[in-house]
Amino acid sequence: MGKEKKAKDAVKKPFYKKWWFWVIIIVVLAGIIGSGGGKDEGKGDTPPATTAEPEESQTPEETKTDDVSADKFVEDVKTAIQGAISSKTESIQDVVLKDGDLCVYIDFSNADPSPLTLEDLALSRTGSITDAILELKDYDSLWETITVDFGEVGHITNNKADIQTSGGGRYFPSENFKLQ
């Protein structure tokens, strides 16, 4: 019997039959799946954002720079306002910068605002959306107004001149929020 045991010990298992090999495979796969999960984030049915048309007095180099910064601004706005809505029942349909007006389109069709009304919810969302946008100070030269459009509920437009500042940062006063 002693010879049989020594013979078994002398025969090595292939590496793929060892427990540590499978632990490594599982960890690597979990890492790949975990890091690849966010790649499609933000690629929904949202139409591509458009930017302001270049002015005729601009040189091609200025136009290209403005388009790049306007595109980056729109992308940064989309990222900044993601947490400003309830992603379960509300959605950001588009963000468009045109002629100095930054327009954010919000879909409330699945929202249940109870005990509030849709109008109350629109006022609340306007505050959180514009607060997030106003944190992007580097782009202030690109816009004059911010419009948050809630479709059939209405829209609220805020002018850059109405920005106020407090210890918490820049904001638009809520008394200026008028659904139209």
Side-chain angles (χ1 to χ4, degrees):
M1 252 201 159
K3 289 182 183 180
E4 286 178 25
K5 185 173 182 190
K6 287 182 183 178
K8 281 186 179 180
D9 289 340
V11 177
K12 288 189 173 184
K13 288 184 189 177
F15 69 92
Y16 59 86
K17 288 189 176 180
K18 297 194 180 209
W19 68 270
W20 55 263
F21 173 77
W22 292 107
V23 169
I24 291 172
I25 294 298
I26 291 170
V27 169
V28 169
L29 287 175
I32 291 170
I33 292 169
S35 67
K39 288 183 181 177
D40 293 333
E41 194 172 303
K43 291 184 183 177
D45 296 329
T46 305
T50 58
T51 59
E53 293 296 318
E55 296 178 17
E56 290 180 21
S57 63
Q58 291 179 322
T59 65
E61 293 81 23
E62 290 173 329
T63 302
K64 189 174 185 179
T65 303
D66 288 348
D67 286 346
V68 170
S69 63
D71 288 343
K72 176 132 176 56
F73 175 48
V74 168
E75 289 305 313
D76 286 353
V77 167
K78 287 180 182 179
T79 302
I81 64 176
Q82 284 301 315
I85 63 167
S86 169
S87 60
K88 292 179 183 176
T89 59
E90 305 161 21
S91 65
I92 299 166
Q93 294 299 303
D94 202 2
V95 176
V96 178
L97 177 64
K98 185 172 181 179
D99 299 328
D101 181 37
L102 177 67
C103 193
V104 179
Y105 296 93
I106 305 296
D107 179 16
F108 270 179
S109 61
N110 296 323
D112 178 18
S114 57
L116 305 173
T117 64
L118 282 174
E119 291 78 12
D120 292 335
L121 185 60
L123 295 172
S124 172
R125 293 300 186 251
T126 299
S128 56
I129 289 169
T130 57
D131 287 353
I133 294 170
L134 290 176
E135 290 179 14
L136 304 172
K137 295 177 184 178
D138 294 342
Y139 301 107
D140 281 359
S141 63
L142 296 175
W143 63 272
E144 290 300 318
T145 58
I146 298 175
T147 301
V148 184
D149 190 321
F150 299 99
E152 293 180 9
V153 177
H155 68 274
I156 299 173
T157 301
N158 290 283
N159 194 305
K160 188 187 297 186
D162 296 329
I163 295 175
Q164 301 212 350
T165 307
S166 71
R170 301 184 322 159
Y171 65 97
F172 289 113
S174 59
E175 57 267 10
N176 292 353
F177 296 170
K178 307 268 189 277
L179 267 170
Q180 299 175 351

